[in-house]
Amino acid sequence: MTDGGHGPVIETAEVFGAHRAGDLVSLTLIAPEIAEHARPGQFVAARVGDESSAEVLRRALFIAAATTGGAHAGTVTVVIAPRRAGSRWLAGRTAGDRLDLVGPLGTPFPLPSGPSPAVLVAHGYGGGPLSWLAQTLVAQGSPVEVVLGADTASELYGEQPAKRIAERVTVLTTDGSAGRTGPTTDAVSDAIVRLGAEVVYASGPAAVLRRVGELAQEHAIRAQVAVEAPMACGIGVCLSCLLPARVGDGGFRLVRACVEGPVLEAGRVRWGEFA
Ligand code: FES
């Protein structure tokens, strides 16, 4: 597998558009330098607040799409679940507003060196980075199946783009308000077998990632997962994002999710302590 990546830059991005889908808000931001180097699985760290109210800590936002070229030279899209004060402020930005971003940050999803069947699993706004990854894999000739889940229909993201490119899309919600009723991971084993998958990629809460890792192990395939950890700086300085993971010598140590991750092999993470 290969990956990509490039050192981060600081960029003042203009909001090109804001779109609400259920309980989620996606922002498309004009940020040509970040867009040029971003890869699926990476994130940006956004400053929260204006000049008079800016918070010291930034918010980490997975990049859900990046375009290069076109009338605005380059854009990145992020998906926000406006649950707390900072994310609500970000979700309230509208066209023409400016956001201070650092990115692209973190390790991207490693891509196969050639066509390779892959199952992609996302819960909630984790559908953002997975949609972009699906497009990248399909463009490389890999068949993909997508499993999208959420607690409820209004928190689903990425169903329509996935349906345009995936061999099959399975939707599940915990409360049964869309698709099948049940946890996101209920459909993963069937998808792995049906597609003959060689790898699973996942994005979402730790419990979902942990279960995806277990299922991949049962099928003797790899699982690459994008972890969500509290990230105050995004550049490896503050140590707010530590998680226990196996390292090269087989032992465990605390690694920084923002630098060594957010994408990690699921089997490396000691999920009981992380969750
Ligand atoms: S977010 Fe600061 S070290 Fe990872």
Side-chain angles (χ1 to χ4, degrees):
M1 288 196 170
T2 61
D3 61 15
H6 188 275
V9 297
I10 301 171
E11 198 161 20
T12 301
E14 181 180 333
V15 178
F16 179 65
H19 177 69
R20 178 171 281 277
D23 291 342
L24 305 176
V25 174
S26 63
L27 295 180
T28 298
L29 305 158
I30 301 170
E33 284 193 73
I34 294 173
E36 183 179 351
H37 300 294
R39 302 286 182 271
Q42 291 188 298
F43 65 95
V44 292
R47 175 173 287 162
V48 175
D50 56 25
E51 285 177 7
S52 62
S53 63
E55 296 181 8
V56 175
L57 306 182
R58 291 172 178 266
R59 290 295 184 284
L61 304 169
F62 278 113
I63 301 170
T67 63
T68 55
H72 296 287
T75 64
V76 294
T77 299
V78 296
V79 184
I80 301 162
R83 295 189 185 123
R84 302 205 175 114
S87 53
R88 282 199 297 272
W89 184 89
L90 287 166
R93 299 310 89 203
T94 56
D97 286 348
R98 290 181 176 273
L99 272 184
D100 185 295
L101 301 179
V102 179
L105 294 166
T107 57
F109 284 107
L111 300 177
S113 51
S116 178
V119 170
L120 279 61
V121 185
H123 185 95
Y125 63 89
L130 265 289
S131 289
W132 187 22
L133 176 65
Q135 291 169 23
T136 305
L137 290 168
V138 169
Q140 287 188 341
S142 295
V144 303
E145 265 212 38
V146 175
V147 177
L148 291 176
D151 294 344
T152 190
S154 60
E155 296 175 358
L156 280 168
Y157 187 87
E159 182 178 356
Q160 294 311 318
K163 281 182 171 170
R164 284 197 286 274
I165 58 170
E167 306 269 317
R168 182 173 182 141
V169 179
T170 305
V171 173
L172 304 96
T173 48
T174 310
D175 67 1
S177 54
R180 287 165 46 181
T181 303
T184 304
T185 49
D186 265 12
V188 174
S189 262
D190 285 350
I192 290 172
V193 172
R194 194 163 42 233
L195 194 66
E198 296 173 354
V199 60
V200 183
Y201 297 97
S203 177
V208 172
L209 306 185
R210 177 182 192 166
R211 183 65 186 136
V212 166
E214 293 168 350
L215 293 167
Q217 191 174 22
E218 287 172 16
H219 291 276
I221 62 175
R222 299 180 68 186
Q224 298 287 344
V225 301
V227 300
E228 292 176 15
M231 291 187 190
C233 74
I235 56 172
V237 175
C238 73
L239 306 185
S240 68
C241 62
L242 295 177
L243 62 85
R246 186 157 31 81
V247 292
D249 63 3
F252 281 83
R253 68 174 170 84
L254 293 172
V255 303
R256 295 163 299 177
C258 67
V259 176
E260 281 96 346
V263 176
L264 294 165
E265 177 81 34
R268 283 186 60 197
V269 180
R270 207 137 72 177
W271 292 105
E273 292 168 37
F274 175 49

